[in-house]
Amino acid sequence: MSPTPTALLSPADQERRRGLRLMKGVALGALLFMAVLFAFAFAFQQQIPALAYLRAFAEGGMVGALADWFAVTALFRHPLGIPIPHTAIIPNRKDEIGQNLGEFVETEFLRGDVVRTKLEATAIAARLGEWLAEPAHAERVSAEASALASGVLQALSDDDVQSVIEDLAREHLIAPEWGPPLGAWLGRIVESGAHHGAVDLAFDTVAAWLDANKPAFTGLVSRRLPSWLPGVAHRLVDDTVYSEAVKLVAAIRLDAQHPARHAIDGYLDRLADNLQHDPGTIGRLEDAKSGVFDSPRVRELAAEAWNTAKAGLLASLADPQSGLRIRAAAALAEIGERLTTDAALQRRVDVWVTDAAVFLVERYRHDIASIITDTVERWDPAETTEKIELMVGRDLQYIRLNGTIVGALAGLVIFTIAHALLG
């Protein structure tokens, strides 16, 4: 197995590697120390019988150290490169380990009752409200949401969006008949007298135009008079026409029951009825509508509407000082304030979040857990082994060190008991 190159390790992994090498050196040093003790005791125990106890102590320590070295090494690789059965467990059983880990997470953690118990014990809404109530946090959420929305807008195909707008316009705006609903709407307006304000505004506008455009009446009628009439007569006719027009408009403005107003009411009432029941009027309106909204114009309208809306949204989303961003941040902060003070709202949000989380876990827990299994299966065995060894290898070296000490003490106790029984 080739180790993971140091250049690919994170700073934390490099620190773990240094710690692992240090503990390996300590464990190996303990083994060598026991070997030195054994050699010394074995060489001089004939001259000094008490050294037999030291030899037994060192023998037990070496056996314990070697046994635990084998056990720890067998987890990650073949000891001494020899393919002994049931060694190199992690690289050989990586996929099985990932599957078991995924099943463990699925059965022990991704259970509806476990998730519900945890979430019910957590004041989700209150904590979220406290966090959102901070202006900086609300602005941060607004900024992240704006970035997400900008990404979605830029990822959308303009042609596809324009086609959708065109289809929606045709289905909901152009295809339905306009006459009957417009006629019904106009009939309700006329019946309620709501159009009187518009009529007043129209005559006010006409009166203002007449007051500002008296020269427009010069020659309006007089040019049709015989040329042999004197110019004074021409001017008198034009002035009379202008004066009568002004008087008529003034009279209509002052008299709510003026015949002209009744004529307008009657015309609008007949138009409303014709739009609903007269096929000829309905057909002319549909022909006019089709002439305005023919296919090329609809596509141009859809393109223009989408491009304008998209450009405006992107500009507003990108500008932290835009009205959209400022209002979004203010709304989020207001929501946070409500979540911290409104107990009823807190309960509704907590229940909704809990139920949603339990539903998702119950429905998709196998798919969620399969992420672990699938991810482990894609890992390279050598790199997986290296990563796991860096995570737990330092602690496993303590097992080697403890095995050396425990083995040495066990060897000394066994030798002492045997010597006492046989002596």
Side-chain angles (χ1 to χ4, degrees), residues 153-164:
L153 284 174
Q154 291 173 345
L156 291 175
S157 169
D158 290 344
D159 291 338
D160 292 341
V161 174
Q162 291 165 15
S163 297
V164 170

Side-chain angles (χ1 to χ4, degrees), residues 179 182-184 186-187 190 267-277:
L182 279 178
L186 180 59
V190 173
Y267 169 76
L268 293 176
D269 189 58
R270 290 192 302 274
L271 178 61
D273 183 72
N274 290 337
L275 284 172
Q276 296 179 75
H277 306 108

Side-chain angles (χ1 to χ4, degrees), residues 131-144:
W131 191 84
L132 272 180
E134 294 289 335
H137 295 161
E139 291 175 4
R140 177 181 174 186
V141 174
S142 175
E144 294 297 333

Side-chain angles (χ1 to χ4, degrees), residues 18-41:
R18 286 190 288 269
L20 175 60
R21 287 174 174 172
L22 176 62
M23 283 308 304
K24 282 184 175 181
V26 172
L28 179 59
L31 172 60
L32 294 177
F33 177 69
M34 290 298 173
V36 171
L37 289 181
F38 174 80
F40 173 77

Side-chain angles (χ1 to χ4, degrees), residues 90-91 93-102 369-385 388:
I90 290 177
R93 300 180 60 187
K94 172 181 65 70
D95 294 346
E96 183 180 349
I97 292 172
Q99 183 178 359
N100 292 336
L101 180 59
S370 67
I371 295 175
I372 299 174
T373 304
D374 296 341
T375 301
V376 173
E377 287 179 354
R378 289 194 298 269
W379 285 352
D380 178 73
E383 293 184 3
T384 302
T385 302
I388 295 177

Side-chain angles (χ1 to χ4, degrees), residues 200-225:
D200 291 339
L201 178 62
F203 282 112
D204 289 344
T205 303
V206 171
W209 184 87
L210 288 173
D211 185 60
N213 294 275
K214 183 178 180 180
F217 281 77
T218 302
L220 183 64
V221 177
S222 61
R223 70 168 62 98
R224 295 175 174 82
L225 296 176

Side-chain angles (χ1 to χ4, degrees), residues 109-117 357-359 361-362 365:
F109 294 95
L110 298 178
R111 296 205 323 260
D113 57 332
V114 173
V115 174
R116 184 175 294 278
T117 300
V358 171
F359 170 79
V361 166
E362 291 285 2
R365 66 176 186 171

Side-chain angles (χ1 to χ4, degrees), residues 40-57:
F40 173 77
F42 185 81
F44 296 100
Q45 66 178 351
Q46 297 297 330
Q47 292 84 358
I48 308 174
L51 289 178
Y53 290 92
L54 180 61
R55 189 196 71 181
F57 177 82

